[in-house]
Amino acid sequence: MTEIDAKIDALVPAWLALPDIAEQLDVEVTRVRQLVKEGQLIAVRRGENRALYVPAAFIDGDKIVKGLVGLLTVLRDDGFSDEEMLEWLFTPDPSLPGTPAQALSENRGTEVKRRAQALAV
């Protein structure tokens, strides 16, 4: 859980507060906090009250976007910080096309994970 800088904040099109995610996933807020703690979601402090927010692109209806958890693990293993992961996920990649986060939500996770693994080389 990190402070978000303006550059990354501007890259992410929409954010969800933890209570909103809990409602969508039909779980308690404490469970969402646990998902963040376990590294299954990335949460950052933003806004006036410095509340925790997660990119809305990480949630697909009532579940976490398919492939996100594994991708975050690959990026962490590559030495990425939360900020670097967010920047990579939401920066347009002409070869995808779109952003890696967008590709994940469009069920193109294999290609995104392949690119993430190539970053480590």
Side-chain angles (χ1 to χ4, degrees), residues 54-84:
V54 171
F58 291 176
I59 306 300
D60 181 17
D62 62 353
K63 62 188 184 309
I64 295 173
V65 168
K66 181 182 175 190
L68 177 68
V69 176
L71 179 64
L72 294 180
T73 300
V74 167
L75 292 172
R76 260 190 207 95
D77 289 350
D78 289 350
F80 277 58
S81 68
D82 284 359
E83 297 87 1
E84 291 167 331

Side-chain angles (χ1 to χ4, degrees), residues 7-83:
K7 178 185 171 193
I8 295 170
D9 199 11
L11 282 175
V12 179
W15 297 91
L16 291 170
L18 298 194
D20 298 331
I21 294 170
E23 192 174 309
Q24 278 190 254
L25 300 179
D26 195 26
V27 297
E28 297 292 323
V29 175
T30 53
R31 177 64 186 134
V32 178
R33 287 183 184 282
Q34 188 65 31
L35 291 171
V36 171
K37 190 175 180 182
E38 292 170 354
Q40 295 184 43
L41 289 172
I42 297 173
V44 296
R45 295 201 177 274
R46 59 188 297 272
E48 293 273 321
N49 59 1
R50 313 318 284 156
L52 285 172
Y53 287 85
V54 171
F58 291 176
I59 306 300
D60 181 17
D62 62 353
K63 62 188 184 309
I64 295 173
V65 168
K66 181 182 175 190
L68 177 68
V69 176
L71 179 64
L72 294 180
T73 300
V74 167
L75 292 172
R76 260 190 207 95
D77 289 350
D78 289 350
F80 277 58
S81 68
D82 284 359
E83 297 87 1

Side-chain angles (χ1 to χ4, degrees), residues 84-107:
E84 291 167 331
M85 285 191 270
L86 288 172
E87 186 173 357
W88 185 80
L89 281 162
F90 289 96
T91 298
D93 180 343
S95 68
L96 271 173
T99 66
Q102 185 181 351
L104 263 186
S105 68
E106 294 169 356
N107 208 19

